[in-house]
Amino acid sequence: MSKCAVVLFNLGGPDAPAAVRPFLFNLFNDAAIIGLPQPLRGLIAGLIAWRRAPTARAIYDRIGGASPILANTEAQARALETALGAGHRVFVAMRHWRPQSLAAAAAVKDWGAEEIVLLPLYPQYSTTTTGSSLAAWRRAAKAVGVAAPTRALCCYPDEAGFIDTLVAGIRTALSRWPAGENKRVLLSAHGLPEKIVAAGDPYRWQVERTAAALRAALGLPEPDTVVCYQSRVGPLAWIGPATDAEIRRAGGERVGLIVVPIAFVSEHSETLVELDIEYRHLAQTAGVPRYVRVPTVGTAPAFIAGLARLVRQARQNAHAPCPGDGRRRCPPPLGRCPCPSQAQAGA
């Protein structure tokens, strides 16, 4: 049995108050986030990190001074390792904080991996997340001399285990909802500047795929399941509607909310602070009669089983990074999709 290394990609987060500013610098120094040449990008990243660090530290102070994302990702890695069984080892590569791709690549090489599967913990593909992580891995693998055959998965916006886990959480919330009380399900995803989507990034289209799968499984109409976007920063126009705007709208209409994070698979500042504290407070002040937040999928057995299926598919998939049977899902205008078009695939 060959030794297969699975590398889980995630964003990362500061592991101590002193790490907040360098984490922010790494984030904004990413060419996928700010597409300017060096040294200008580094100068702007330094300025943004300096200005945002006090606010960010205050956010992390509300959850113990550090992000729990590494611990949560490590738990997912161990659960996936168990699900995959003998011959597999799961490694973690964070994009903007430790352990980054260089350390993960060195660990994969030291283990003696004979196959590698790259698995993002971003269900919906974006150039700013999965695309950036895969590029960082390629640089790191080259630097340390990783030569094992490698498959990459780009996305899984409607993978059965992912959807089933979210559906179970939503159904639990619905089952506890008082009879006769108005409600709306907010499907909240991390936002993205409009200019990135306009350049062909498939993220918003894939978020809508997730939403469509949830609506179909739940049997809920579109007006009762609204897609919205959170975590906007900076002066640029971002895709919408914004989650906070939808909360205010629900307050004006006296409609209760079930808030579902559909682009995050583990708990961190955007869920534990933004959704659970800041937006809950906004809901109370806006007049929302009831506010319930569904947990992220975490280490739920169905989600981990879905990740294991993706790994097994990738090992047999000559079309990676495209999922499953290798067919491109994104429509042709979304030119930043990493899967080739049908014309390219047949060339």
mmCIF file of all heavy atoms in Angstrom, residues 45-66:
data_model
loop_
_atom_site.group_PDB
_atom_site.id
_atom_site.type_symbol
_atom_site.label_atom_id
_atom_site.label_comp_id
_atom_site.label_asym_id
_atom_site.label_seq_id
_atom_site.Cartn_x
_atom_site.Cartn_y
_atom_site.Cartn_z
ATOM 1 N N ALA A 45 0.563 46.494 2.564
ATOM 2 C CA ALA A 45 0.218 45.459 3.548
ATOM 3 C C ALA A 45 0.675 45.861 4.945
ATOM 4 O O ALA A 45 -0.042 45.655 5.935
ATOM 5 C CB ALA A 45 0.843 44.125 3.151
ATOM 6 N N GLY A 46 1.862 46.431 5.030
ATOM 7 C CA GLY A 46 2.359 46.883 6.328
ATOM 8 C C GLY A 46 1.494 47.974 6.922
ATOM 9 O O GLY A 46 1.217 47.985 8.134
ATOM 10 N N LEU A 47 1.038 48.900 6.070
ATOM 11 C CA LEU A 47 0.192 49.984 6.549
ATOM 12 C C LEU A 47 -1.158 49.455 7.026
ATOM 13 O O LEU A 47 -1.649 49.844 8.106
ATOM 14 C CB LEU A 47 -0.013 51.013 5.426
ATOM 15 C CG LEU A 47 -0.945 52.189 5.743
ATOM 16 C CD1 LEU A 47 -0.402 53.001 6.917
ATOM 17 C CD2 LEU A 47 -1.141 53.061 4.508
ATOM 18 N N ILE A 48 -1.752 48.562 6.240
ATOM 19 C CA ILE A 48 -3.047 47.998 6.634
ATOM 20 C C ILE A 48 -2.911 47.215 7.934
ATOM 21 O O ILE A 48 -3.755 47.327 8.839
ATOM 22 C CB ILE A 48 -3.607 47.095 5.515
ATOM 23 C CG1 ILE A 48 -3.925 47.921 4.265
ATOM 24 C CG2 ILE A 48 -4.856 46.365 5.989
ATOM 25 C CD1 ILE A 48 -4.310 47.087 3.058
ATOM 26 N N ALA A 49 -1.857 46.400 8.050
ATOM 27 C CA ALA A 49 -1.657 45.604 9.256
ATOM 28 C C ALA A 49 -1.500 46.501 10.480
ATOM 29 O O ALA A 49 -2.055 46.217 11.553
ATOM 30 C CB ALA A 49 -0.437 44.703 9.090
ATOM 31 N N TRP A 50 -0.751 47.582 10.329
ATOM 32 C CA TRP A 50 -0.549 48.516 11.438
ATOM 33 C C TRP A 50 -1.868 49.164 11.861
ATOM 34 O O TRP A 50 -2.166 49.268 13.058
ATOM 35 C CB TRP A 50 0.462 49.586 11.019
ATOM 36 C CG TRP A 50 0.599 50.698 12.009
ATOM 37 C CD1 TRP A 50 1.206 50.672 13.233
ATOM 38 C CD2 TRP A 50 0.079 52.033 11.856
ATOM 39 N NE1 TRP A 50 1.114 51.896 13.858
ATOM 40 C CE2 TRP A 50 0.430 52.750 13.035
ATOM 41 C CE3 TRP A 50 -0.620 52.685 10.842
ATOM 42 C CZ2 TRP A 50 0.085 54.084 13.212
ATOM 43 C CZ3 TRP A 50 -0.962 54.018 11.023
ATOM 44 C CH2 TRP A 50 -0.608 54.699 12.198
ATOM 45 N N ARG A 51 -2.675 49.555 10.880
ATOM 46 C CA ARG A 51 -3.925 50.245 11.192
ATOM 47 C C ARG A 51 -4.977 49.296 11.758
ATOM 48 O O ARG A 51 -5.752 49.676 12.632
ATOM 49 C CB ARG A 51 -4.473 50.933 9.939
ATOM 50 C CG ARG A 51 -3.605 52.086 9.448
ATOM 51 C CD ARG A 51 -4.222 52.779 8.255
ATOM 52 N NE ARG A 51 -5.501 53.400 8.572
ATOM 53 C CZ ARG A 51 -6.234 54.074 7.696
ATOM 54 N NH1 ARG A 51 -5.809 54.210 6.442
ATOM 55 N NH2 ARG A 51 -7.381 54.603 8.043
ATOM 56 N N ARG A 52 -5.018 48.046 11.264
ATOM 57 C CA ARG A 52 -6.071 47.116 11.668
ATOM 58 C C ARG A 52 -5.720 46.287 12.901
ATOM 59 O O ARG A 52 -6.612 45.691 13.517
ATOM 60 C CB ARG A 52 -6.413 46.171 10.515
ATOM 61 C CG ARG A 52 -7.153 46.838 9.373
ATOM 62 C CD ARG A 52 -7.656 45.798 8.371
ATOM 63 N NE ARG A 52 -8.468 44.779 9.007
ATOM 64 C CZ ARG A 52 -9.752 44.912 9.320
ATOM 65 N NH1 ARG A 52 -10.370 46.062 9.073
ATOM 66 N NH2 ARG A 52 -10.426 43.932 9.884
ATOM 67 N N ALA A 53 -4.453 46.250 13.268
ATOM 68 C CA ALA A 53 -4.036 45.363 14.365
ATOM 69 C C ALA A 53 -4.778 45.632 15.678
ATOM 70 O O ALA A 53 -5.217 44.677 16.335
ATOM 71 C CB ALA A 53 -2.524 45.443 14.560
ATOM 72 N N PRO A 54 -4.937 46.876 16.124
ATOM 73 C CA PRO A 54 -5.652 47.082 17.398
ATOM 74 C C PRO A 54 -7.084 46.553 17.374
ATOM 75 O O PRO A 54 -7.539 45.929 18.343
ATOM 76 C CB PRO A 54 -5.617 48.611 17.572
ATOM 77 C CG PRO A 54 -4.420 49.053 16.788
ATOM 78 C CD PRO A 54 -4.377 48.146 15.594
ATOM 79 N N THR A 55 -7.793 46.804 16.273
ATOM 80 C CA THR A 55 -9.165 46.298 16.159
ATOM 81 C C THR A 55 -9.182 44.782 16.137
ATOM 82 O O THR A 55 -10.016 44.142 16.800
ATOM 83 C CB THR A 55 -9.826 46.845 14.881
ATOM 84 O OG1 THR A 55 -9.845 48.268 14.934
ATOM 85 C CG2 THR A 55 -11.241 46.319 14.729
ATOM 86 N N ALA A 56 -8.259 44.186 15.376
ATOM 87 C CA ALA A 56 -8.211 42.725 15.291
ATOM 88 C C ALA A 56 -7.858 42.101 16.640
ATOM 89 O O ALA A 56 -8.420 41.068 17.035
ATOM 90 C CB ALA A 56 -7.208 42.297 14.232
ATOM 91 N N ARG A 57 -6.917 42.726 17.368
ATOM 92 C CA ARG A 57 -6.569 42.194 18.697
ATOM 93 C C ARG A 57 -7.787 42.205 19.612
ATOM 94 O O ARG A 57 -8.004 41.263 20.396
ATOM 95 C CB ARG A 57 -5.437 43.007 19.315
ATOM 96 C CG ARG A 57 -4.071 42.701 18.748
ATOM 97 C CD ARG A 57 -2.955 43.264 19.612
ATOM 98 N NE ARG A 57 -1.733 43.410 18.830
ATOM 99 C CZ ARG A 57 -1.334 44.536 18.263
ATOM 100 N NH1 ARG A 57 -2.049 45.645 18.412
ATOM 101 N NH2 ARG A 57 -0.231 44.577 17.556
ATOM 102 N N ALA A 58 -8.575 43.263 19.532
ATOM 103 C CA ALA A 58 -9.776 43.345 20.358
ATOM 104 C C ALA A 58 -10.761 42.224 20.010
ATOM 105 O O ALA A 58 -11.420 41.662 20.897
ATOM 106 C CB ALA A 58 -10.443 44.709 20.184
ATOM 107 N N ILE A 59 -10.836 41.890 18.735
ATOM 108 C CA ILE A 59 -11.699 40.784 18.312
ATOM 109 C C ILE A 59 -11.213 39.471 18.904
ATOM 110 O O ILE A 59 -11.984 38.701 19.498
ATOM 111 C CB ILE A 59 -11.750 40.710 16.775
ATOM 112 C CG1 ILE A 59 -12.530 41.897 16.208
ATOM 113 C CG2 ILE A 59 -12.365 39.393 16.309
ATOM 114 C CD1 ILE A 59 -12.456 42.031 14.701
ATOM 115 N N TYR A 60 -9.914 39.191 18.774
ATOM 116 C CA TYR A 60 -9.381 37.932 19.288
ATOM 117 C C TYR A 60 -9.398 37.889 20.814
ATOM 118 O O TYR A 60 -9.509 36.808 21.414
ATOM 119 C CB TYR A 60 -7.981 37.687 18.737
ATOM 120 C CG TYR A 60 -7.992 37.311 17.278
ATOM 121 C CD1 TYR A 60 -7.534 38.197 16.291
ATOM 122 C CD2 TYR A 60 -8.496 36.082 16.864
ATOM 123 C CE1 TYR A 60 -7.569 37.863 14.949
ATOM 124 C CE2 TYR A 60 -8.539 35.742 15.518
ATOM 125 C CZ TYR A 60 -8.081 36.628 14.571
ATOM 126 O OH TYR A 60 -8.121 36.285 13.239
ATOM 127 N N ASP A 61 -9.321 39.048 21.465
ATOM 128 C CA ASP A 61 -9.421 39.078 22.924
ATOM 129 C C ASP A 61 -10.749 38.499 23.402
ATOM 130 O O ASP A 61 -10.832 37.932 24.501
ATOM 131 C CB ASP A 61 -9.287 40.517 23.436
ATOM 132 C CG ASP A 61 -7.845 41.007 23.452
ATOM 133 O OD1 ASP A 61 -6.932 40.164 23.309
ATOM 134 O OD2 ASP A 61 -7.633 42.231 23.584
ATOM 135 N N ARG A 62 -11.772 38.607 22.580
ATOM 136 C CA ARG A 62 -13.098 38.116 22.971
ATOM 137 C C ARG A 62 -13.189 36.595 22.914
ATOM 138 O O ARG A 62 -14.145 36.004 23.410
ATOM 139 C CB ARG A 62 -14.163 38.754 22.081
ATOM 140 C CG ARG A 62 -14.132 40.266 22.119
ATOM 141 C CD ARG A 62 -15.112 40.908 21.173
ATOM 142 N NE ARG A 62 -16.430 41.067 21.773
ATOM 143 C CZ ARG A 62 -17.399 41.792 21.252
ATOM 144 N NH1 ARG A 62 -17.204 42.445 20.112
ATOM 145 N NH2 ARG A 62 -18.572 41.881 21.836
ATOM 146 N N ILE A 63 -12.194 35.957 22.292
ATOM 147 C CA ILE A 63 -12.175 34.485 22.236
ATOM 148 C C ILE A 63 -10.848 33.948 22.781
ATOM 149 O O ILE A 63 -10.327 32.940 22.301
ATOM 150 C CB ILE A 63 -12.445 33.957 20.809
ATOM 151 C CG1 ILE A 63 -11.539 34.644 19.773
ATOM 152 C CG2 ILE A 63 -13.905 34.159 20.440
ATOM 153 C CD1 ILE A 63 -11.665 34.049 18.373
ATOM 154 N N GLY A 64 -10.307 34.656 23.781
ATOM 155 C CA GLY A 64 -9.124 34.148 24.466
ATOM 156 C C GLY A 64 -7.803 34.649 23.951
ATOM 157 O O GLY A 64 -6.746 34.149 24.372
ATOM 158 N N GLY A 65 -7.795 35.593 23.011
ATOM 159 C CA GLY A 65 -6.561 36.199 22.536
ATOM 160 C C GLY A 65 -5.939 35.547 21.326
ATOM 161 O O GLY A 65 -4.920 36.020 20.821
ATOM 162 N N ALA A 66 -6.516 34.450 20.850
ATOM 163 C CA ALA A 66 -5.950 33.742 19.703
ATOM 164 C C ALA A 66 -7.068 33.077 18.909
ATOM 165 O O ALA A 66 -8.181 32.883 19.404
ATOM 166 C CB ALA A 66 -4.936 32.704 20.157
#
